[in-house]
């Protein structure tokens, strides 16, 4: 695809079909994403693609924790502060209002999709060493964006979701991730279910007015 087309197709997919993603395609996506830049070429990231029985086990145990109201224990918990600055707080307030409109009579659909990990046939978990500077988190974000754009360019849809890393110990068990690594991000990958109401493309969140985020100095 042309880059502009790929970029415009980057949307959160809340439910995938049962169609499997070929292993060689997952490998191709991550390999191409390795070209992402990083501080001093540190390349701190590692990617763990999980499918099949291993993913089903993760989904099952996550669902049990959700049903039993087990508190999340994210590896990035210390970075997930709710003490937001005024500017992003205002943006989230606007977003919250628009979400209320979009999810009118659909909140249960989203909750169900979220609890089932969006029916994703594959999830790529991204880690960095626990002994990492803050810059490595920035690098991991670049790597994640590369993965998503490359996946879209290959005809797939994506869902980066905080909920996918809520219980990192479960992920470690089935993905073979070391205790020395922080499970920081995860991207669900698959083929979009166009018949799912929760995937309504009519809802596109508004962007912050450009003049509020951009300044040119000469």
């Amino acid at each position: 695809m042309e880059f502009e087309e790929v970029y415009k197709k980057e949307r959160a997919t809340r439910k995938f079909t049962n169609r499997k993603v070929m292993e060689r395609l997952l490998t191709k996506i991550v390999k191409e994403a390795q070209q992402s830049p990083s501080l001093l070429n540190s390349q701190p990231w590692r990617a763990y693609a999980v499918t099949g029985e291993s993913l089903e086990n993760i989904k099952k145990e996550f669902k049990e924790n959700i049903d039993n109201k087990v508190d999340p224990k994210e590896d990035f918990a210390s970075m997930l502060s709710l003490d937001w600055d005024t500017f992003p707080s205002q943006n989230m307030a606007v977003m919250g209002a628009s979400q209320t409109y979009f999810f009118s009579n659909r909140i249960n659909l989203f909750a169900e999709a979220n609890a089932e990990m969006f029916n994703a046939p594959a999830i790529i978990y991204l880690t960095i060493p626990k002994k990492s500077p803050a810059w490595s988190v920035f690098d991991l974000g670049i790597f994640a964006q590369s993965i998503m754009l490359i996946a879209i360019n290959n005809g797939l849809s994506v869902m980066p979701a905080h909920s996918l890393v809520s219980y990192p110990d479960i992920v470690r068990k089935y993905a073979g991730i070391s205790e020395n690594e922080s499970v920081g991000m995860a991207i669900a990958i698959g083929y979009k279910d166009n018949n799912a109401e929760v995937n309504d493309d009519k809802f596109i969140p508004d962007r912050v007015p450009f003049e509020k985020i951009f300044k040119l100095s000469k």
Side-chain angles (χ1 to χ4, degrees):
M1 299 181 198
E2 293 293 329
F3 176 77
E4 186 173 355
E5 181 183 2
V6 171
Y7 190 71
K8 287 183 176 180
K9 282 190 174 182
E10 188 178 23
R11 294 280 183 272
T13 294
R14 299 175 181 86
K15 189 171 183 181
F16 298 91
T17 67
N18 293 325
R19 181 180 173 185
K20 295 181 179 180
V21 179
M22 300 299 290
E23 291 179 12
R24 64 175 180 271
L25 183 52
L26 291 171
T27 301
K28 175 180 182 290
I29 290 167
V30 176
K31 189 171 184 178
E32 291 183 9
Q34 275 191 283
Q35 298 301 314
S36 301
S38 59
L39 177 65
L40 301 175
N41 198 31
S42 55
Q43 303 176 66
W45 51 69
R46 288 187 179 177
Y48 296 81
V50 185
T51 64
E53 185 178 352
S54 294
L55 182 53
E56 289 307 312
N57 287 330
I58 290 176
K59 289 179 179 180
K60 178 183 177 182
E61 294 195 25
F62 263 56
K63 184 67 162 52
E64 289 173 354
N65 277 4
I66 292 171
D67 291 343
N68 293 323
K69 302 186 185 306
V70 176
D71 291 334
K73 298 178 181 178
E74 300 94 341
D75 283 346
F76 278 11
S78 61
M79 302 178 191
L80 297 176
S81 171
L82 296 181
D83 185 19
W84 295 86
D85 183 75
T86 302
F87 179 61
S89 294
Q90 291 173 338
N91 297 338
M92 287 186 288
V94 173
M95 177 60 184
S98 61
Q99 277 189 320
T100 300
Y101 173 78
F102 171 66
F103 284 120
S104 177
N105 300 320
R106 300 180 191 176
I107 192 66
N108 289 336
L109 292 177
F110 179 77
E112 290 172 8
N114 188 53
E116 295 172 358
M117 292 187 164
F118 314 103
N119 195 45
I123 296 178
I124 297 178
Y125 291 95
L126 306 178
T127 75
I128 56 174
K130 286 185 175 178
K131 187 179 179 181
S132 293
W135 276 111
S136 290
V137 179
F138 179 74
D139 293 338
L140 190 64
I142 296 173
F143 184 53
Q145 176 74 331
S146 295
I147 287 174
M148 289 189 288
L149 292 176
I150 294 167
I152 292 168
N153 191 47
N154 281 273
L156 296 166
S157 294
V158 298
M159 179 61 174
H162 166 245
S163 61
L164 299 175
V165 295
S166 295
Y167 306 106
D169 287 344
I170 295 175
V171 176
R172 283 193 182 86
K173 180 165 60 173
Y174 293 106
I177 299 174
S178 165
E179 286 290 339
N180 296 324
E181 298 170 59
S182 292
V183 182
M185 303 175 187
I187 304 166
I189 291 182
Y191 296 92
K192 181 179 179 179
D193 184 347
N194 291 312
N195 295 318
E197 186 178 358
V198 75
N199 280 337
D200 191 345
D201 282 333
K202 295 178 182 177
F203 175 69
I204 300 178
D206 291 334
R207 300 292 94 183
V208 173
F210 184 67
E211 59 273 14
K212 285 192 174 183
I213 63 106
F214 181 75
K215 180 180 180 180
L216 176 63
S217 299
K218 295 183 179 180

